Amino acid sequence: MELLIKDLDKKYSNGVHALDNVSLTIPKGMFGLLGPNGAGKSSLMRTIATLQDADSGSITLGDIDVLNDKQAVRKILGYLPQEFGVYPRTTAVDLLDNLALLKGFENKADRKQMIEQLLVKVNLWEHRKNAVSSYSGGMRQRFGIAQCLIGSPKLVIVDEPTAGLDPGERNRFYNILSEIGENTIVILSTHIVQDVRELCTQMAVVDKGRVLFAGNTDDALLEV
Ligand code: ADP
Ligand code: ADP
């Protein structure tokens, strides 16, 4: 399955041209979306995640028409927004259980098994009975990934996920993400060149709403 973005255009009501005729082909694996603040990365991520509309253009994911069949996309999407900011005083297990129920997993035993697997994957199993509000920044982001992965998404979008994390936490986060990228489309939006170089085989550079480069990371970012 591939994500195909074609001639996507978006102007906000304040006149900012956030997406200027964006076309991209995003294959399975880790895909880096690199650009400075204000480049249009979040606008693109939010549009793919069906959270905002474009003015024109199309997005297809396999045989799903993303802009016109939002329900179908939401079933196979994991999205970790920038400043994922709700840290309730609920335990990790209870929170994931509620989210899984909302996603339609009605069998309690199935949910229990899925949540255990997710919390082990993100190394939070031993903290499962702590409130998410008590987690450190790195733990919260790993929890965010567990939340993203409920229902085995085909497409995972993470927007500037390592802002404020120390190097150790950042590496732990990226190791988990790389593992997910082995059989999923993972789009990593970031302004940090080093992250894309280390993690992503394919990438695009965007600025002022335009795609300046799209292709192999090795062709774009020479070893320094
Ligand atoms: P649209 O053109 O899609 O209707 P709006 O201009 O109405 O978008 O803004 C939508 C929301 O985004 C509003 O809540 C607004 O406050 C917020 N917003 C406005 N300008 C910015 C900006 N520069 N960056 C981020 N959010 C903004
Ligand atoms: P990035 O994620 O690369 O920082 P954004 O997509 O957030 O870029 O923003 C692209 C441009 O659109 C910026 O100039 C930003 O101020 C503007 N912008 C973002 N959201 C809104 C909004 N809702 N309303 C108006 N302008 C916006």
Side-chain angles (χ1 to χ4, degrees):
M1 194 181 318
E2 273 184 345
L3 183 71
L4 292 176
I5 301 168
K6 214 159 176 280
D7 303 329
L8 202 65
D9 220 86
K10 171 71 177 179
K11 256 194 198 123
Y12 289 110
S13 47
N14 59 0
V16 173
H17 202 168
L19 299 174
D20 187 354
N21 213 33
V22 169
S23 295
L24 283 173
T25 300
I26 304 184
K28 198 159 86 176
M30 295 279 302
F31 187 93
L33 184 69
L34 185 66
N37 285 332
K41 302 184 297 298
S42 291
S43 298
L44 182 58
M45 300 297 92
R46 290 176 54 79
T47 309
I48 298 168
T50 75
L51 299 173
Q52 75 180 41
D53 290 323
D55 298 333
S56 57
S58 68
I59 306 177
T60 55
L61 175 61
D63 54 11
I64 299 172
D65 177 351
V66 172
L67 297 177
N68 295 304
D69 193 356
K70 294 182 180 169
Q71 293 309 326
V73 182
R74 287 171 191 171
K75 281 196 191 128
I76 57 166
L77 172 79
Y79 177 56
L80 184 59
Q82 198 171 357
E83 294 167 44
F84 166 68
V86 184
Y87 310 121
R89 258 170 277 167
T90 314
T91 69
V93 166
D94 287 346
L95 201 52
L96 290 177
D97 193 60
N98 288 338
L99 291 167
L101 189 56
L102 281 175
K103 275 217 170 180
F105 293 88
E106 304 216 344
N107 183 297
K108 197 167 164 61
D110 288 351
R111 289 204 303 279
K112 206 174 163 208
Q113 191 188 15
M114 175 169 68
I115 289 164
E116 176 170 345
Q117 279 171 2
L118 288 174
L119 286 171
V120 168
K121 187 190 267 286
V122 300
N123 292 315
L124 288 173
W125 179 244
E126 61 187 287
H127 303 287
R128 67 190 176 281
K129 292 187 175 159
N130 298 344
V132 176
S133 57
S134 72
Y135 283 4
S136 71
M139 291 165 75
R140 286 174 185 187
Q141 286 303 73
R142 282 186 274 131
F143 179 80
I145 279 291
Q147 173 177 288
C148 261
L149 292 180
I150 292 173
S152 309
K154 301 266 184 291
L155 170 64
V156 170
I157 294 176
V158 291
D159 198 352
E160 300 270 2
T162 60
L165 300 193
D166 68 35
E169 285 172 332
R170 178 177 150 271
N171 283 342
R172 250 174 287 167
F173 183 84
Y174 279 149
N175 285 339
I176 295 164
L177 210 57
S178 294
E179 203 185 310
I180 298 164
E182 285 167 18
N183 46 26
T184 311
I185 304 171
V186 179
I187 306 177
L188 167 68
S189 162
T190 180
H191 63 272
I192 304 169
V193 176
Q194 187 65 22
D195 289 352
V196 173
R197 181 185 283 142
E198 279 176 26
L199 287 162
C200 305
T201 47
Q202 298 273 306
M203 64 171 288
V205 179
V206 291
D207 192 20
K208 301 191 174 73
R210 295 201 195 118
V211 177
L212 303 183
F213 170 88
N216 291 321
T217 302
D218 287 345
D219 296 337
L221 306 175
L222 298 175
E223 297 295 330
V224 179

